Amino acid sequence: MVTEQVVRVRAPARLHLGFLDPGGRGARRFGGIGLALDAPATSLTLRRAPAFSAEGAERARLARLLPEAAAALGLPGAFAVHASEAIPAHAGLGSGTQLALALAAGLRTLAGLPLDVGGDAVRLGRGARSGVGAAFFTGGGVVVDGGRNEGRDRPAPVVAQLPFPEAWRVLLILQPSAAGFHGADELAAFAALPPFPREATAENCRLVLMQALPALAERDVAGFGDAVETIQTAVGTHFAPAQGGVFASPAVARLAARLKSLGARGVGQSSWGPTGFAFAGSEAEAARIVEAAGGQARDEGLVLAVARGRNEGATIEAPPAGARLARAV
């Protein structure tokens, strides 16, 4: 009896907490700060097959990406993929990057090839602006990327990475009925934006280096949240002509204001949204805020969820001949 080799990959969602320089007028463009989440996540099972096939969550997207990824890696033959769960698409949670990188990692594992997360991000067209998505496939916590060097065809380098405190919680504001800018619309939105003020770039960098990261190291949720919210306000104001306000969704903006009034810190929007977020210093504090704001969330057609930060990257399981092997990338 021949045991079929199967590879399972689970990749975490992420929050993009803000760009440092969305105007990108220097040699390095964008730069940013982000956080890996324990949920939602993308979970894939891959195997060799007589023909390419995709099943489960994100079936249509996977059916397009799977042969593209195999071709980009130069792999002969065909493969099948099943997604048991997927990060919501176009919600500001990094779904496209994690889906592409999870596919590439699974295919490489099946083929006995070493991982090359940064290279695969380039091959599959990910990380053109933010480097945190690729960074979270190999590690977790809070990451700062230094912006993409226009002279190098690699994702932006990670310049700082700290663990997210285990006690803290992330309040997620999800709007399943809406989608943020993506694809050609995202490119057009960036192209139409005015230059980002140099003074604002300098202030964002100061806030990250001199407030957000030290507060994270000292487990100071108020200091961390206040720095993130200030960055979010600056970047959201810059994006407002394209998305209609500091938040893309008025309903998310209203609930974010409610969370802030209840004591949550660091309210903001991840990427182009519509997902909003805030931070609480404990599970009990998060539960109290959700209890108080849950009615408004339901009335607005929103989902208010509590997540933890994730301090490790994607996991790959490649059981040979029935044995189980799990490893964090």
Side-chain angles (χ1 to χ4, degrees):
M1 178 179 176
V2 177
T3 302
E4 181 184 41
Q5 186 182 12
V6 174
V7 172
R8 297 180 180 88
V9 185
R10 188 175 191 273
R14 63 96 177 108
L15 290 178
H16 197 278
L17 304 181
F19 283 115
L20 303 182
D21 182 12
R25 290 177 294 184
R28 290 195 172 275
R29 302 194 65 191
F30 302 107
I33 180 170
L35 165 67
L37 299 174
D38 71 333
T42 289
S43 296
L44 306 181
T45 301
L46 295 101
R47 56 172 55 85
R48 292 189 179 275
F52 285 104
S53 67
E55 299 293 339
E58 288 279 31
R59 178 179 178 179
R61 204 176 189 188
L62 282 168
R64 175 179 57 82
L65 284 173
L66 181 59
E68 290 180 2
L73 297 177
L75 300 181
F79 302 86
V81 61
H82 178 271
S84 59
E85 60 177 329
I87 300 165
H90 314 311
L93 295 170
S95 64
T97 295
Q98 298 309 310
L99 197 66
L101 294 179
L103 274 177
L107 291 172
R108 283 180 173 275
T109 303
L110 279 175
L113 299 176
L115 296 181
D116 181 11
V117 176
D120 288 341
V122 173
R123 293 181 189 96
L124 300 176
R126 312 308 307 181
R129 285 163 293 280
S130 171
V132 300
F136 288 141
F137 198 83
T138 56
V142 174
V143 160
V144 179
D145 80 70
R148 184 167 179 180
N149 187 334
E150 293 299 288
R152 295 191 64 193
D153 199 17
R154 300 288 292 183
V158 171
V159 295
Q161 190 162 15
L162 290 176
F164 190 76
E166 293 290 339
W168 292 6
R169 295 294 180 266
V170 184
L171 299 163
L172 295 177
I173 308 172
L174 306 170
Q175 188 171 17
S177 63
F181 284 131
H182 58 278
D185 291 339
E186 181 183 12
L187 295 176
F190 270 114
L193 290 174
F196 193 67
R198 293 184 184 276
E199 296 80 6
T201 293
E203 178 63 3
N204 284 356
C205 292
R206 185 194 70 80
L207 285 164
V208 168
L209 180 62
M210 298 302 292
Q211 184 171 340
L213 294 182
L216 193 66
E218 294 177 344
R219 306 294 194 268
D220 173 11
V221 69
F224 176 76
D226 291 352
V228 168
E229 186 170 336
T230 303
I231 294 169
Q232 281 283 314
T233 300
V235 175
T237 300
H238 180 67
F239 285 173
Q243 65 183 17
V246 174
F247 287 80
S249 165
V252 171
R254 289 190 292 270
L255 186 55
R258 173 69 170 148
L259 299 186
K260 183 176 180 179
S261 73
L262 291 167
R265 310 303 289 248
V267 300
Q269 171 183 289
S270 184
S271 298
W272 289 104
T275 299
F277 63 81
F279 301 102
S282 68
E283 179 75 31
E285 180 72 357
R288 179 188 66 80
I289 293 171
V290 168
E291 175 67 22
Q296 180 178 337
R298 291 187 292 273
D299 291 344
E300 297 272 17
L302 305 174
V303 176
L304 182 56
V306 178
R308 298 171 181 260
R310 180 177 173 88
N311 288 322
E312 61 181 359
T315 57
I316 300 174
E317 297 179 354
R324 179 181 175 87
L325 171 65
R327 61 186 172 114
V329 179

